[in-house]
Coordinates of all heavy atoms in Angstrom, one line a residue:
I6 N -41.9 6.1 13.4 CA -42.6 7.3 13.7 C -42.4 8.4 12.7 O -43.4 9.1 12.3 CB -42.1 7.8 15.2 CG1 -42.7 6.7 16.2 CG2 -42.8 9.1 15.5 CD1 -42.1 7.0 17.5
Q7 N -41.1 8.6 12.2 CA -40.8 9.8 11.4 C -41.5 9.5 10.0 O -42.0 10.5 9.4 CB -39.2 9.9 11.3 CG -38.6 10.6 12.4 CD -37.2 11.1 11.9 OE1 -37.1 11.6 10.9 NE2 -36.3 11.1 12.9
F8 N -41.5 8.2 9.6 CA -42.0 8.0 8.2 C -43.5 7.4 8.2 O -43.9 6.6 7.3 CB -41.2 7.0 7.4 CG -39.8 7.8 7.1 CD1 -38.7 7.6 7.8 CD2 -39.6 8.6 6.0 CE1 -37.5 8.2 7.6 CE2 -38.5 9.2 5.6 CZ -37.4 8.9 6.4
W9 N -44.2 7.5 9.4 CA -45.4 6.8 9.6 C -46.4 7.0 8.4 O -47.0 5.9 8.0 CB -46.1 7.2 10.9 CG -47.5 6.6 11.1 CD1 -48.7 7.1 11.0 CD2 -47.6 5.2 11.5 NE1 -49.6 6.3 11.4 CE2 -49.0 5.2 11.7 CE3 -46.7 4.2 12.0 CZ2 -49.5 3.8 12.1 CZ3 -47.3 3.0 12.4 CH2 -48.7 2.9 12.4
N10 N -46.6 8.1 8.0 CA -47.5 8.4 6.8 C -47.1 7.7 5.6 O -48.0 7.4 4.7 CB -47.6 9.9 6.6 CG -48.4 10.7 7.7 OD1 -49.2 10.0 8.4 ND2 -48.1 11.8 7.9
K11 N -45.9 7.5 5.4 CA -45.5 6.8 4.2 C -45.3 5.3 4.3 O -45.3 4.5 3.4 CB -44.0 7.3 3.8 CG -44.0 8.7 3.3 CD -42.6 9.2 2.8 CE -42.6 10.6 2.4 NZ -41.3 11.0 2.0
L12 N -45.4 4.8 5.6 CA -45.3 3.4 5.8 C -46.6 2.7 6.2 O -46.8 1.5 5.9 CB -44.4 3.1 7.1 CG -42.9 3.5 7.0 CD1 -42.3 3.4 8.3 CD2 -42.3 2.6 5.9
W13 N -47.6 3.5 6.7 CA -48.9 2.9 7.1 C -49.7 2.8 5.9 O -50.0 3.9 5.3 CB -49.5 3.7 8.2 CG -50.8 3.2 8.8 CD1 -52.0 3.7 8.7 CD2 -50.9 1.9 9.5 NE1 -52.9 2.9 9.3 CE2 -52.4 1.8 9.8 CE3 -50.0 0.9 9.9 CZ2 -52.8 0.6 10.5 CZ3 -50.6 -0.2 10.4 CH2 -51.8 -0.4 10.8
P14 N -50.3 1.7 5.5 CA -51.0 1.5 4.2 C -52.5 1.8 4.3 O -53.2 1.5 3.3 CB -50.8 -0.1 3.9 CG -50.7 -0.7 5.2 CD -50.0 0.3 6.1
F15 N -52.9 2.3 5.4 CA -54.3 2.7 5.6 C -54.5 4.2 5.8 O -53.6 4.8 6.6 CB -55.0 1.9 6.6 CG -54.9 0.4 6.4 CD1 -54.1 -0.3 7.0 CD2 -55.6 -0.2 5.5 CE1 -53.9 -1.7 6.8 CE2 -55.7 -1.6 5.3 CZ -54.7 -2.3 6.0
G16 N -55.6 4.7 5.4 CA -55.8 6.2 5.5 C -57.3 6.3 5.9 O -58.1 5.4 5.7
K17 N -57.6 7.6 5.8 CA -59.2 7.9 6.0 C -59.6 8.9 4.9 O -58.9 9.8 4.8 CB -59.3 8.5 7.4 CG -59.7 7.4 8.5 CD -60.2 8.1 9.7 CE -60.6 7.0 10.8 NZ -61.2 7.5 12.0
D18 N -60.8 8.7 4.5 CA -61.4 9.6 3.5 C -62.8 9.8 4.1 O -63.7 9.2 4.0 CB -61.6 9.0 2.2 CG -62.1 10.0 1.1 OD1 -62.4 11.1 1.5 OD2 -62.5 9.5 0.0
G19 N -62.8 10.9 4.9 CA -64.0 11.2 5.8 C -64.1 10.2 6.8 O -63.2 10.1 7.7
S20 N -65.2 9.4 6.8 CA -65.3 8.4 7.9 C -64.9 7.0 7.5 O -65.0 6.1 8.2 CB -66.8 8.3 8.3 OG -67.7 8.2 7.2
Q21 N -64.5 7.0 6.1 CA -64.3 5.7 5.6 C -62.7 5.3 5.7 O -61.9 6.4 5.4 CB -64.6 5.6 4.1 CG -66.1 5.5 3.9 CD -66.5 5.3 2.5 OE1 -65.9 5.8 1.6 NE2 -67.6 4.5 2.3
I22 N -62.3 4.1 5.8 CA -60.9 3.7 5.9 C -60.6 3.3 4.4 O -61.2 2.6 3.7 CB -60.7 2.6 6.7 CG1 -60.9 3.0 8.2 CG2 -59.2 2.0 6.5 CD1 -60.8 1.8 9.2
V23 N -59.5 3.9 3.8 CA -59.1 3.6 2.4 C -57.7 3.1 2.4 O -56.9 3.1 3.5 CB -59.0 5.0 1.7 CG1 -60.5 5.6 1.6 CG2 -58.0 5.9 2.3
I24 N -57.5 2.2 1.5 CA -56.2 1.5 1.3 C -55.3 2.4 0.4 O -55.7 2.7 -0.7 CB -56.3 0.2 0.7 CG1 -57.2 -0.7 1.7 CG2 -55.1 -0.5 0.4 CD1 -57.5 -2.1 1.1
K25 N -54.1 2.7 0.8 CA -53.1 3.3 0.1 C -52.4 2.4 -0.8 O -51.4 1.7 -0.4 CB -52.1 4.1 0.9 CG -52.8 5.2 1.9 CD -51.7 5.8 2.9 CE -52.3 6.6 3.9 NZ -51.1 7.2 4.7
K26 N -52.7 2.3 -2.0 CA -52.2 1.2 -2.9 C -50.7 1.4 -3.1 O -50.1 0.3 -3.1 CB -52.8 1.2 -4.3 CG -52.4 0.1 -5.1 CD -53.3 0.2 -6.6 CE -52.7 -0.9 -7.5 NZ -53.5 -0.8 -8.9
P27 N -50.2 2.5 -3.3 CA -48.7 2.7 -3.5 C -47.9 2.2 -2.3 O -46.9 1.7 -2.4 CB -48.5 4.2 -3.7 CG -49.8 4.7 -4.2 CD -50.8 3.9 -3.6
V28 N -48.5 2.4 -1.1 CA -47.7 1.9 0.1 C -47.8 0.4 0.2 O -46.8 -0.2 0.5 CB -48.4 2.6 1.3 CG1 -47.8 2.1 2.6 CG2 -48.4 4.0 1.3
F29 N -48.9 -0.2 -0.2 CA -48.9 -1.7 -0.2 C -47.9 -2.2 -1.2 O -47.2 -3.2 -0.9 CB -50.3 -2.1 -0.5 CG -51.2 -2.6 0.7 CD1 -52.2 -1.7 1.0 CD2 -50.9 -3.8 1.4 CE1 -53.0 -2.1 2.1 CE2 -51.7 -4.2 2.4 CZ -52.7 -3.3 2.8
E30 N -47.8 -1.6 -2.5 CA -46.9 -2.0 -3.4 C -45.5 -1.9 -3.0 O -44.7 -2.7 -3.2 CB -47.2 -1.1 -4.7 CG -48.4 -1.6 -5.4 CD -48.5 -0.6 -6.6 OE1 -47.9 0.4 -6.8 OE2 -49.4 -0.9 -7.5
M31 N -45.2 -0.8 -2.2 CA -43.9 -0.5 -1.6 C -43.6 -1.7 -0.6 O -42.4 -2.2 -0.6 CB -43.9 0.8 -0.9 CG -42.5 1.3 -0.3 SD -42.2 0.6 1.4 CE -43.4 1.6 2.3
W32 N -44.4 -2.1 0.3 CA -44.3 -3.2 1.1 C -44.0 -4.6 0.5 O -43.2 -5.3 0.8 CB -45.4 -3.3 2.1 CG -45.3 -2.3 3.3 CD1 -46.1 -1.3 3.6 CD2 -44.2 -2.2 4.2 NE1 -45.8 -0.6 4.7 CE2 -44.5 -1.2 5.1 CE3 -43.1 -3.0 4.5 CZ2 -43.7 -0.8 6.2 CZ3 -42.3 -2.6 5.6 CH2 -42.5 -1.6 6.4
F33 N -44.7 -4.7 -0.6 CA -44.4 -6.0 -1.4 C -42.9 -5.9 -2.0 O -42.2 -6.9 -2.0 CB -45.4 -6.1 -2.6 CG -46.8 -6.6 -2.1 CD1 -47.9 -5.9 -2.6 CD2 -46.9 -7.6 -1.3 CE1 -49.2 -6.3 -2.2 CE2 -48.2 -8.0 -0.9 CZ -49.3 -7.4 -1.3
H34 N -42.5 -4.8 -2.4 CA -41.2 -4.6 -2.9 C -40.1 -4.9 -1.8 O -39.1 -5.5 -2.0 CB -41.0 -3.3 -3.5 CG -41.7 -3.0 -4.8 ND1 -42.2 -1.7 -5.1 CD2 -42.1 -3.9 -5.8 CE1 -42.8 -1.9 -6.3 NE2 -42.8 -3.1 -6.7
V35 N -40.5 -4.3 -0.6 CA -39.6 -4.6 0.6 C -39.5 -6.0 0.9 O -38.4 -6.5 1.2 CB -40.2 -3.7 1.8 CG1 -39.5 -4.2 3.1 CG2 -39.9 -2.3 1.6
I36 N -40.5 -6.7 0.8 CA -40.6 -8.2 1.1 C -39.7 -8.9 0.1 O -38.8 -9.8 0.5 CB -42.1 -8.8 1.0 CG1 -42.9 -8.3 2.2 CG2 -42.0 -10.3 0.9 CD1 -44.3 -8.5 2.1
V37 N -39.8 -8.5 -1.2 CA -38.8 -9.0 -2.2 C -37.5 -8.8 -1.9 O -36.6 -9.7 -2.1 CB -39.2 -8.6 -3.6 CG1 -38.2 -8.9 -4.6 CG2 -40.6 -9.1 -4.0
S38 N -37.1 -7.7 -1.5 CA -35.8 -7.3 -1.0 C -35.3 -8.1 0.2 O -34.1 -8.3 0.3 CB -35.6 -5.8 -0.7 OG -35.9 -4.9 -1.8
C39 N -36.1 -8.6 1.1 CA -35.8 -9.4 2.2 C -35.5 -10.8 1.9 O -35.0 -11.5 2.6 CB -36.9 -9.2 3.2 SG -37.0 -7.6 4.0
L40 N -36.0 -11.3 0.6 CA -36.1 -12.7 0.5 C -34.6 -13.2 0.4 O -34.3 -14.4 0.9 CB -36.8 -13.0 -1.0 CG -38.4 -12.8 -0.9 CD1 -38.9 -13.1 -2.2 CD2 -38.9 -13.9 0.1
P41 N -33.6 -12.6 -0.2 CA -32.3 -13.4 -0.2 C -31.8 -13.4 1.2 O -31.2 -14.4 1.5 CB -31.5 -12.1 -1.0 CG -32.5 -11.5 -1.9 CD -33.6 -11.5 -1.1

């Protein structure tokens, strides 16, 4: 809840849903950190 805007990879630009690329990249890095 506290970091929702930084964790949720989707946003809105007017009526369109946009993908936050840096957030997606962050989640890929998190997945790599979880692998070990």
Side-chain angles (χ1 to χ4, degrees):
I6 294 176
Q7 284 200 36
F8 293 95
W9 178 255
N10 289 333
K11 294 183 177 181
L12 293 173
W13 186 242
F15 302 102
K17 272 192 172 183
D18 184 6
S20 60
Q21 289 187 326
I22 294 176
V23 296
I24 295 174
K25 302 176 186 175
K26 187 178 177 182
V28 179
F29 260 108
E30 290 177 347
M31 182 272 293
W32 277 116
F33 286 133
H34 293 149
V35 166
I36 291 171
V37 169
S38 292
C39 290
L40 288 178

